[in-house]
Amino acid sequence: MASPQVHVFADAQQVAQAAAERFVAAAAAAIRATGRFSVALAGGSTPQRAYELLADQPLRAQVDWAHVHLFFGDERCVPPTDPQSNFRMASLALLDHVGLPPRNVHRMIGEADPSAAASVYEAELRVFFAAQPWPAFDLLLLGMGDDGHTASLFPGSAALKEQQRWVVANRVEKFQAFRLTLSPPAINAARHILFSVTGPAKAQRLQEVLHGPRDPMRLPSQLISPTGGNLEWLLDKAAAGHE
Ligand code: 6PG
């Protein structure tokens, strides 16, 4: 695997712009090559600005949305109307504004029984990525928590060791709740993995993840290492510790 590319920008707005532009480029390349673009969205707050940029001109017109398939890397176990829902955040910022065919939006069913929802989502992925050993998303967006988690792969949680399933219901003790998440091998099968990490609160942990000893049970973001694709980190100066 090629070594991760790390790009540092002045601020979170520039990180969002860079992520949105990479989305546009990846979509154009995938649609040109295969007729479709599969992307797994990250949740949380960091990617919201990038989604808003994609929903607005000039970038919105640069994406052939009819051939875009939107998936989620993880989801909270809540209804899609809940303020905690990643689907709700992505809908308000992006999905509601770009005219995606409904069948192209692949929501994790956060309101269902977590184990059942994980199985249903995995089955949906296996149909979309028919006959492939893993879901090879054209683009997979990730964030990182200040505890080093990514997607819903939290320190010490069972999903960190998942090597067979594509999607699991992961018990997260710190929230006393389940989360739905792609497994590490499912994430690592993506063609292009893009982390966006901003803010001073993450600088210390990010330094450990990128440059510290390997300790993925404590630093799950260290599990992200694409098997055949490439990995980029988009950071602002604050997260990179350059301020
Ligand atoms: C989620 C995300 C999660 C997120 C990090 C960072 O469901 O919350 O998938 O992995 O990327 O928690 O969150 P912020 O962007 O809000 O800092």
Side-chain angles (χ1 to χ4, degrees):
M1 185 218 60
S3 58
Q5 304 155 50
V6 178
H7 305 281
V8 180
F9 298 88
D11 54 33
Q13 173 68 18
Q14 289 189 13
V15 168
Q17 182 70 32
E21 289 172 359
R22 280 161 171 77
F23 182 110
V24 170
I31 292 167
R32 190 165 47 246
T34 68
R36 71 184 193 181
F37 173 56
S38 56
V39 55
L41 299 182
S45 57
T46 303
Q48 192 170 329
R49 184 67 189 122
Y51 300 162
E52 290 166 351
L53 289 168
L54 287 163
D56 201 359
Q57 299 305 1
L59 295 183
R60 184 174 68 210
Q62 296 175 27
V63 178
D64 180 1
W65 294 102
H67 295 93
V68 174
H69 284 262
L70 281 174
F71 298 84
F72 289 82
D74 71 322
E75 184 57 279
R76 292 79 181 279
C77 291
V78 295
T81 52
D82 188 296
Q84 284 296 312
S85 165
N86 288 336
F87 174 80
R88 179 177 178 274
M89 179 276 286
S91 296
L92 294 173
L94 178 60
L95 308 185
D96 293 349
H97 308 284
V98 295
L100 275 165
R103 68 180 178 283
N104 288 25
V105 179
H106 306 267
R107 180 175 76 88
M108 290 182 167
I109 309 173
E111 67 274 30
D113 166 75
S115 178
S119 298
V120 164
Y121 206 69
E122 177 159 333
E124 184 168 348
L125 289 178
R126 287 181 181 276
V127 167
F128 186 87
F129 293 102
Q132 295 184 45
W134 294 101
F137 291 103
D138 294 307
L139 177 64
L140 192 146
L141 304 179
L142 292 174
M144 191 194 80
D146 59 12
D147 61 357
H149 83 264
T150 188
S152 282
L153 302 172
F154 284 82
S157 64
L160 302 187
K161 296 179 177 170
E162 180 58 50
Q163 290 299 313
Q164 308 301 323
R165 299 283 311 275
W166 293 14
V167 186
V168 293
N170 193 29
R171 178 75 183 174
V172 184
E173 290 311 321
K174 75 188 283 189
F175 301 133
Q176 288 293 297
F178 279 93
R179 289 272 191 99
L180 300 173
T181 187
L182 294 180
S183 64
I187 290 172
N188 285 331
R191 291 189 169 83
H192 184 178
I193 301 175
L194 190 61
F195 270 101
S196 294
V197 184
T198 62
K202 303 188 181 174
Q204 171 57 42
R205 198 69 72 186
L206 185 63
Q207 175 68 18
E208 292 180 76
V209 165
L210 291 177
H211 306 297
R214 185 157 175 77
D215 186 3
M217 289 303 286
R218 185 174 69 85
L219 301 167
S221 293
Q222 289 186 337
L223 289 170
I224 307 311
S225 175
T227 41
N230 66 342
L231 170 60
E232 275 192 294
W233 291 81
L234 305 182
L235 314 177
D236 68 357
K237 283 182 178 175
H242 290 186
E243 282 186 338

